[in-house]
Amino acid sequence: MHDERLLCGWESKHAALWNQAPICIGHRLHELPEFTLDALARLIESYPRENYSIIHMGNRETDRRFWREGDLGGLNGQDVISAIANGRLWLNLRNVGEVAPEIGRMAETIFSELHKLVPGLATWNHRCGILVSSPNAQVYYHADLPAHALFQLIGRKRVYFYPPHEPFIRAEDLEHIAIYGLEVDIPYSRWYDEYACVFDFDPGQMLYWPHTAPHRIDNYDCLNVSLTLDFVTEAVRRKQMVTLANGILRYRFGLNPESDATTGPLFWSKALLQKMLRNSDWIKAKKASHRRIEFRLDKSTPGAILEM
Ligand SMILES: [Fe+2]
């Protein structure tokens, strides 16, 4: 079934724009049987606890930063989807490529197509996720440390991308993400939107954007399902190393690191520093301080939650 290409509508301009500006191209994942709502319900139902997050999001205007993590509470797959369709929820299925190897193979097909389409592109640490989110849900302004591509499967959303530099994102914001693992905790002002690149994102479209470009998402009034691919390149890996090292220097040692060079002796000493400390108890404690399960889905009322 994978004899046809999964990406479509590629033009030479997309290779020129790759990693320089957000781009939108076509795909045909949304036509495949693995991504119908029934198939997704079956996937959700058996999803390993350690590989998903269910997030409850605040009311759009009053609780912009209200963001809590919960549990599916033993609901079957159809009921989870119905809870999301009726609530203010966001389900993140991580490591889909391992849990569902057929989807992992599709992801690898996409990566090999991209490697042919973008001259010189080499990627690794491929991971694949599925995001199921409620009508009108938002993903707040944030930036990601891996490179990401987003594929729309079901529903419609509006995606805003911002330039990957100050004042939209500062080095210390990225360091904060590297240390605390909480991507949405970065400053945002409404006027940033005047500088955003905005897409209405429909099934059959894929978005890719420059590494660490901040973005935010507003769902339209419909259930949304998207697939994410994340990966690193050599440039992304080096940026991650220097960001984590600078974060350690800032938050652990109270310094104010100014260089974000990804070559040279200073870079290599930072590479060593982050390698020694990235699995330390200090880092683990910082990340854990933001991850606590606070609610579960209510079996009797789709979309409602119960406090834990
Ligand atoms: Fe993101």
Side-chain angles (χ1 to χ4, degrees):
M1 62 175 288
H2 300 310
D3 49 352
E4 282 182 59
R5 283 195 290 192
L6 292 176
L7 298 175
C8 46
W10 185 271
E11 298 174 41
S12 57
K13 71 176 182 185
H14 294 126
L17 290 168
W18 185 264
N19 228 19
Q20 303 302 319
I23 58 170
C24 182
I25 64 160
H27 69 81
R28 49 178 211 88
L29 294 178
H30 63 306
E31 297 167 352
L32 302 179
E34 287 82 355
F35 299 117
T36 62
L37 274 182
D38 283 345
L40 290 166
R42 287 193 294 277
L43 181 64
I44 290 168
E45 200 160 302
S46 57
Y47 220 75
R49 180 64 193 95
E50 65 275 18
N51 282 324
Y52 79 77
S53 305
I54 179 102
I55 308 289
H56 189 255
M57 317 181 80
N59 177 282
R60 180 179 289 252
E61 294 307 324
T62 55
D63 301 321
R64 254 188 49 77
R65 298 284 162 175
F66 187 80
W67 174 284
R68 298 192 306 156
E69 189 157 347
D71 189 274
L72 293 178
L75 271 68
N76 69 36
Q78 297 285 0
D79 287 347
V80 170
I81 288 175
S82 146
I84 298 170
N86 288 285
R88 293 272 300 154
L89 295 159
W90 188 74
L91 174 65
N92 179 7
L93 305 177
R94 293 184 298 269
N95 300 325
V96 171
E98 285 162 37
V99 177
E102 67 281 9
I103 297 179
R105 285 191 290 277
M106 280 177 211
E108 288 310 309
T109 301
I110 288 168
F111 279 111
S112 52
E113 290 181 23
L114 285 173
H115 291 168
K116 290 187 192 120
L117 292 165
V118 183
L121 180 68
T123 66
W124 61 93
N125 285 7
H126 299 166
R127 287 190 311 179
C128 172
I130 291 177
L131 308 170
V132 188
S133 53
S134 296
N136 302 309
Q138 294 171 284
V139 178
Y140 298 139
Y141 190 79
H142 74 283
D144 301 299
L145 294 179
H148 273 290
L150 190 64
F151 296 74
Q152 187 68 343
L153 301 173
I154 294 172
R156 187 167 206 236
K157 55 183 52 194
R158 178 167 280 196
V159 188
Y160 301 73
F161 293 105
Y162 303 80
H165 52 68
E166 292 191 17
F168 306 101
I169 182 98
R170 300 167 304 172
E172 56 256 54
D173 298 324
L174 293 174
E175 293 162 18
H176 194 270
I177 295 167
I179 297 289
Y180 292 93
L182 197 67
E183 295 85 355
V184 292
D185 216 6
I186 57 176
Y188 163 75
S189 296
R190 269 286 166 198
W191 63 263
Y192 289 5
D193 289 3
E194 294 164 37
Y195 301 88
C197 191
V198 184
F199 295 86
D200 278 328
F201 192 36
D202 288 305
Q205 293 183 319
M206 171 195 129
L207 289 169
Y208 179 72
W209 55 96
H211 183 222
T212 72
H215 45 285
R216 67 183 185 88
I217 301 174
D218 285 343
N219 282 1
Y220 282 94
D221 191 17
C222 49
L223 180 78
N224 263 254
V225 182
S226 315
L227 179 96
T228 64
L229 294 185
D230 71 67
F231 57 94
V232 299
T233 62
E234 181 60 21
V236 167
R237 188 179 74 99
R238 288 188 178 217
K239 173 91 173 169
Q240 288 178 333
M241 288 156 74
V242 78
T243 300
L244 179 56
N246 284 349
I248 291 168
L249 292 172
R250 187 183 305 277
Y251 293 103
R252 174 81 200 259
F253 297 110
L255 301 172
N256 186 22
E258 287 181 356
S259 167
D260 60 358
T262 52
T263 55
L266 184 58
F267 166 72
W268 288 110
S269 44
K270 287 179 181 175
L272 187 62
L273 172 75
Q274 60 89 37
K275 186 172 186 193
M276 288 188 320
L277 287 180
R278 71 185 168 208
N279 294 319
S280 65
D281 289 345
W282 182 78
I283 292 271
K284 284 179 192 154
K286 292 286 178 207
K287 284 200 169 31
S289 64
H290 284 283
R291 297 278 176 195
R292 196 163 70 80
I293 304 301
E294 298 183 51
F295 70 88
R296 62 186 162 84
L297 298 185
D298 183 351
K299 276 186 182 170
S300 57
T301 315
I305 58 169
L306 299 169
E307 300 295 327
M308 288 178 74

